[in-house]
Amino acid sequence: LKLVLPITGRKPESMIIEKPVTQNKEDFLTVMRLCKQAEIKAYTHYTLRFQPFCKILKEMVIPDQPFEVTSMLPAMGIACVGIHYIDLFLWLFNINKPLLVAYSFLGKYEQKRKGFYDMYGELIIRSEKSGTGRFINSELGGLRTLEIMQENRVISVYEDQRVMTILNKKDNKTIE
């Protein structure tokens, strides 16, 4: 909030605010109110969908076909990293009206930014089409995975030390 307030006073045409925008709901609503009053278009960026491997992934899925997606994000909090995978899910399947059908927050832990806490747990999101995304994270480290199941294919993505591996089990292809 301390960083955004001086910018809204200058009334730029638009601004990109790094997520998480604030630490609590009240501060977030204040930022949105100030932006609306000053007629500032405020955006939060999500870079994952612009990564080359995600563009390959987009070509591999069939958005109109039923799907199930499971994402395991160990030690990657919902606010800091999980949100990128949720955005990727929405983008891959052209989902405009997601529905949060279940969630469980199991706890919080301090991130690398001193004083910033993120939460871990599980979210289940259903699309207006015929598919569901399940996003699970924990406070313990490990390998990030994303598995996409469709009628005639299973695509698995593994991320370790900034190396992405995509396995397309239908065509027996591996892409790194």
Side-chain angles (χ1 to χ4, degrees), residues 125-154:
I125 300 171
R126 186 172 298 135
S127 79
E128 70 273 18
K129 300 172 186 175
S130 57
T132 301
R134 184 174 177 208
F135 304 88
I136 306 164
N137 60 15
S138 69
E139 62 184 329
L140 304 174
L143 186 68
R144 293 183 203 180
T145 63
L146 177 69
E147 185 162 87
I148 301 167
M149 295 175 283
Q150 292 194 284
E151 288 177 3
N152 62 351
R153 69 185 70 228
V154 175

Side-chain angles (χ1 to χ4, degrees), residues 76 142-144 158-164:
M76 296 292 158
L143 186 68
R144 293 183 203 180
Y158 304 97
E159 180 179 357
D160 185 33
Q161 301 298 325
R162 300 198 176 268
V163 173
M164 305 302 291

Side-chain angles (χ1 to χ4, degrees), residues 93-171:
F93 293 98
N94 304 321
I95 298 169
N96 297 313
K97 296 179 182 177
L99 175 63
L100 179 64
V101 293
Y103 65 90
S104 66
F105 295 113
L106 303 175
K108 66 179 185 176
Y109 59 97
E110 191 168 20
Q111 287 284 354
K112 61 185 175 185
R113 281 185 262 162
K114 186 174 171 57
F116 175 75
Y117 291 85
D118 204 340
M119 58 196 135
Y120 60 94
E122 179 176 356
L123 297 172
I124 299 175
I125 300 171
R126 186 172 298 135
S127 79
E128 70 273 18
K129 300 172 186 175
S130 57
T132 301
R134 184 174 177 208
F135 304 88
I136 306 164
N137 60 15
S138 69
E139 62 184 329
L140 304 174
L143 186 68
R144 293 183 203 180
T145 63
L146 177 69
E147 185 162 87
I148 301 167
M149 295 175 283
Q150 292 194 284
E151 288 177 3
N152 62 351
R153 69 185 70 228
V154 175
I155 302 167
S156 300
V157 179
Y158 304 97
E159 180 179 357
D160 185 33
Q161 301 298 325
R162 300 198 176 268
V163 173
M164 305 302 291
T165 303
I166 300 174
L167 300 175
N168 182 347
K169 293 178 184 167
K170 176 188 178 229
D171 301 326

Side-chain angles (χ1 to χ4, degrees), residues 46 70 89 139:
Y46 298 102
T70 302
F89 164 71
E139 62 184 329

Side-chain angles (χ1 to χ4, degrees), residues 80-95:
C80 281
V81 176
I83 194 72
H84 289 282
Y85 282 82
I86 293 168
D87 175 68
L88 177 64
F89 164 71
L90 299 175
W91 175 71
L92 285 174
F93 293 98
N94 304 321
I95 298 169

Side-chain angles (χ1 to χ4, degrees), residues 26-118:
E26 294 76 25
D27 288 351
F28 176 78
L29 293 174
T30 298
V31 169
M32 293 297 100
R33 182 178 42 78
L34 291 171
C35 287
K36 188 174 183 177
Q37 287 172 349
E39 297 181 359
I40 300 168
K41 295 175 186 167
Y43 302 94
T44 303
H45 76 92
Y46 298 102
T47 60
L48 188 59
R49 69 165 72 177
F50 298 104
Q51 299 300 322
F53 91 93
C54 290
K55 292 178 181 179
I56 293 169
L57 201 54
K58 177 87 168 169
E59 294 171 5
M60 296 172 85
V61 301
I62 303 169
D64 296 329
Q65 195 179 84
F67 59 86
E68 293 295 325
V69 174
T70 302
S71 177
M72 300 292 289
L73 301 166
M76 296 292 158
I78 293 171
C80 281
V81 176
I83 194 72
H84 289 282
Y85 282 82
I86 293 168
D87 175 68
L88 177 64
F89 164 71
L90 299 175
W91 175 71
L92 285 174
F93 293 98
N94 304 321
I95 298 169
N96 297 313
K97 296 179 182 177
L99 175 63
L100 179 64
V101 293
Y103 65 90
S104 66
F105 295 113
L106 303 175
K108 66 179 185 176
Y109 59 97
E110 191 168 20
Q111 287 284 354
K112 61 185 175 185
R113 281 185 262 162
K114 186 174 171 57
F116 175 75
Y117 291 85
D118 204 340

